[in-house]
Amino acid sequence: MIADYHAFLERRYHVERSGFEPVWLPGSLMGFQRALCEWSIEMGSCAIFADCGLGKTLMQLVWAENVARHANGRVLVIAPLAVTAQTVREAEKFGVEVERSQDGTVRTKAGIVVTNYERLDRFDPADYAGAVCDESGILKSFSGATKSAIVAFMRKLRYRLLCTATPAPNDFFELGNSSEALGNLGYMDMLARFFVNDDKTSAQGGGRKFGKATEWRFRGHAEEPFWRWVCSWARAVRKPSDIGFPDDDYTLPALTQSEHVTACPRLPGMLFAMPARNLHEQRKERRRTIQERCESVARLVDHDQPALVWCHLNDEADLLERLIPDAVQVSGSDRDEDKEDRFIAFARGESRVLVTKPKIGAWGLNFQHCAHVALFPSHSFEQYYQSIRRCWRYGQTRPVHVDVVTTEGELGVLANMKRKAEAAERMFSRVAALMNQSLTIART
């Protein structure tokens, strides 16, 4: 009876495969990459959560080429703006034919078409057999309408792949959106099945508040079934050994981080610096201390090596560009072509210092030539993680140093970011352990 019950649970929480046997696997694939490609092609619709530098671009191109050949159709790869050109360059390197389109038209016979998220409305899903959401974690940065349009586009296709380095494993809401985009449980259904609301409200009524530990928690004994369900449609890999392969050359260099609390004038009538207690006060503190914080960053990057500087406000970016003589800024107001040119120039070493915002350039770009990152903290762990991983990634040959610049008033923001980083590390370790367990069961 116990065995029958466990078999029932496995069927209930398992996503069935809907793909096909691979028709093409290039010899350039590493062992773990080949295993992930085989699994994703056989799944048909799934997610690969692979860390920076593990070869997600190659794996998604192999998946897309297989779908294009098998279905005798095209596959659309949707990526952040600056990553589209990088994807085309990677495709050329591995002998995969890819066309980049910005208006929905395709002029060649290429089976793979690449565009950026902001131009998706110019494409018709009826023209495609499958789609890849590259750096799918960026979806959280879009408005609700844009995100809904992306999910709606994906749901109309038979073959779908999500790829990102940061699935935010402690953000169950995002995992629900990923599942929905793949045609599995929607996040509301996910909540109802695996979670309970301490306020006794329904999943429909409490969805907007999801993510707060005081409101949602796993149902009794539901945590392991939840992660086993996730493992049935996703693979989370920080290093090859997470899925049973030798790590070999996949060893990250040393990472060091220094925190700099910048001295700033006290508020009128205050003898001591007071911590900002809420988002409104934190925003005021950030704007009040722009000059001091930017001057601190300018001093830290005053050397002859490449440096990557992340900020959050337009005024911060403009001041940093003025204070750092050889800095180049990538701004949200720049033309798409100018953004790409400046990102590429920095990657080639033609610009020494790049100043930009995480929401513009923190996803997918490879800046391995740079080993110094300076940033202002925010409440987003994902932005922090992605900002660092542009440089600290597999393939980086030098130790990477990160300077975090803040003020006494914003120490609470820094503490919150650290707490989220620790929670994400614990959760990712839990996912990797359960995934290995599931893979071991599958192989026996």
Side-chain angles (χ1 to χ4, degrees):
M1 293 295 292
I2 296 296
D4 291 342
Y5 179 66
H6 282 297
F8 163 74
L9 289 179
E10 285 297 318
R11 290 193 301 271
R12 185 181 183 189
Y13 299 132
H14 187 77
V15 175
E16 296 297 329
R17 300 188 178 201
S18 59
F20 52 90
E21 292 293 323
V23 297
W24 174 72
L25 292 170
S28 54
L29 290 168
M30 303 287 289
F32 74 94
Q33 294 170 339
R34 183 184 181 92
L36 287 170
C37 285
E38 289 175 341
W39 170 81
S40 62
I41 293 165
E42 291 170 1
M43 283 296 298
S45 291
C46 58
I48 296 177
F49 302 145
D51 219 337
C52 304
L54 287 177
K56 285 190 300 300
T57 301
L58 172 58
M59 289 188 281
Q60 69 189 30
L61 287 171
V62 171
W63 181 92
E65 182 68 12
N66 272 268
V67 170
R69 293 187 186 188
H70 174 79
N72 193 28
R74 288 196 174 101
V75 174
L76 183 65
V77 176
I78 319 159
L81 171 65
V83 182
T84 54
Q86 184 172 281
T87 301
V88 173
R89 292 195 300 272
E90 288 289 301
E92 292 173 353
K93 183 193 306 183
F94 294 109
V96 179
E97 188 177 359
V98 170
E99 179 178 342
R100 184 180 179 186
S101 175
Q102 295 181 314
D103 58 6
T105 60
V106 183
R107 298 172 177 82
T108 69
K109 294 182 179 180
I112 304 174
V113 180
V114 182
T115 193
N116 55 291
Y117 283 106
E118 292 83 356
R119 297 180 181 271
L120 182 60
D121 62 326
R122 306 178 188 189
F123 291 78
D124 185 349
D127 296 334
Y128 295 89
V132 178
C133 247
D134 186 17
E135 300 299 337
S136 57
I138 200 175
L139 295 181
K140 292 192 299 187
S141 298
F142 290 114
S143 66
T146 304
K147 185 190 303 181
S148 296
I150 294 168
V151 171
F153 186 97
M154 294 285 288
R155 291 184 67 183
K156 294 176 182 176
L157 304 175
R158 177 173 180 179
Y159 300 108
R160 317 163 201 174
L161 179 66
L162 304 182
C163 289
T164 186
T166 51
N170 57 331
D171 186 342
F172 307 117
F173 189 85
E174 181 188 346
L175 288 172
N177 282 332
S178 297
S179 171
E180 187 169 354
L182 293 172
N184 303 324
L185 283 178
Y187 69 85
M188 290 299 182
D189 294 326
M190 178 195 71
L191 290 181
R193 181 168 294 187
F194 296 106
F195 297 89
V196 62
N197 189 306
D198 288 333
D199 293 334
K200 308 301 181 184
T201 58
S202 68
Q204 295 289 337
R208 287 184 175 273
K209 298 180 180 179
F210 181 73
K212 298 181 181 179
T214 56
E215 294 176 2
W216 289 97
R217 57 180 172 79
F218 282 112
R219 293 181 181 275
H221 308 293
E223 182 172 4
E224 184 163 337
F226 172 79
W227 289 115
R228 291 178 74 87
W229 167 70
V230 172
C231 292
S232 73
W233 54 266
R235 289 289 179 265
V237 186
R238 293 171 301 179
K239 54 188 182 299
S241 58
D242 283 340
I243 55 172
F245 288 84
D247 290 331
D248 294 331
D249 296 330
Y250 285 91
T251 302
L252 287 168
L255 176 72
T256 58
Q257 178 172 299
S258 300
E259 296 168 8
H260 306 269
V261 181
T262 304
C264 299
R266 305 284 188 243
L267 288 169
M270 295 290 182
L271 294 176
F272 307 99
M274 299 296 292
R277 295 168 296 181
N278 52 49
L279 285 174
H280 176 69
E281 291 184 359
Q282 288 164 5
R283 292 190 186 103
K284 288 180 64 176
E285 172 73 7
R286 179 161 293 180
R287 291 196 173 279
R288 186 181 71 86
T289 61
I290 286 177
Q291 185 72 35
E292 292 81 7
R293 289 183 294 106
C294 289
E295 288 176 353
S296 179
V297 168
R299 288 191 294 269
L300 289 167
V301 301
D302 184 15
H303 49 68
D304 61 356
Q305 295 297 307
L308 180 58
V309 178
W310 301 100
C311 57
H312 304 285
L313 303 175
N314 291 336
D315 290 344
E316 291 172 343
D318 293 341
L319 181 55
L320 286 164
E321 188 177 25
R322 292 197 300 270
L323 292 173
I324 305 169
D326 48 357
V328 173
Q329 179 190 169
V330 177
S331 167
S333 61
D334 294 333
R335 295 186 311 139
D336 289 351
E337 295 80 2
D338 293 335
K339 291 177 185 175
E340 286 190 337
D341 289 345
R342 290 168 189 172
F343 281 132
I344 292 171
F346 180 68
R348 290 175 175 170
E350 298 167 5
S351 303
R352 188 184 75 85
V353 180
L354 178 68
V355 176
T356 191
K357 301 175 185 176
K359 65 180 183 180
I360 297 174
W363 278 266
L365 292 168
N366 183 351
F367 297 142
Q368 290 172 335
H369 74 292
C370 176
H372 185 195
V373 179
L375 58 85
F376 302 132
S378 75
H379 287 288
S380 172
F381 162 72
E382 186 177 23
Q383 286 188 0
Y384 163 79
Y385 181 88
Q386 288 281 11
S387 297
I388 292 174
R389 294 311 291 265
R390 297 309 96 225
C391 304
W392 189 56
R393 53 194 290 125
Y394 295 112
Q396 171 65 263
T397 59
R398 295 181 292 166
V400 174
H401 184 73
V402 179
D403 285 309
V404 181
V405 176
T406 188
T407 65
E408 288 181 293
E410 280 201 295
L411 287 177
V413 177
L414 183 60
N416 189 38
M417 187 177 70
K418 289 181 179 178
R419 179 188 60 78
K420 290 182 177 180
E422 292 168 358
E425 177 63 25
R426 288 194 302 270
M427 193 62 72
F428 212 113
S429 297
R430 175 66 170 156
V431 175
L434 282 171
M435 193 162 294
N436 262 324
Q437 181 184 359
S438 297
L439 291 172
T440 301
I441 292 171
R443 294 190 185 109
T444 57

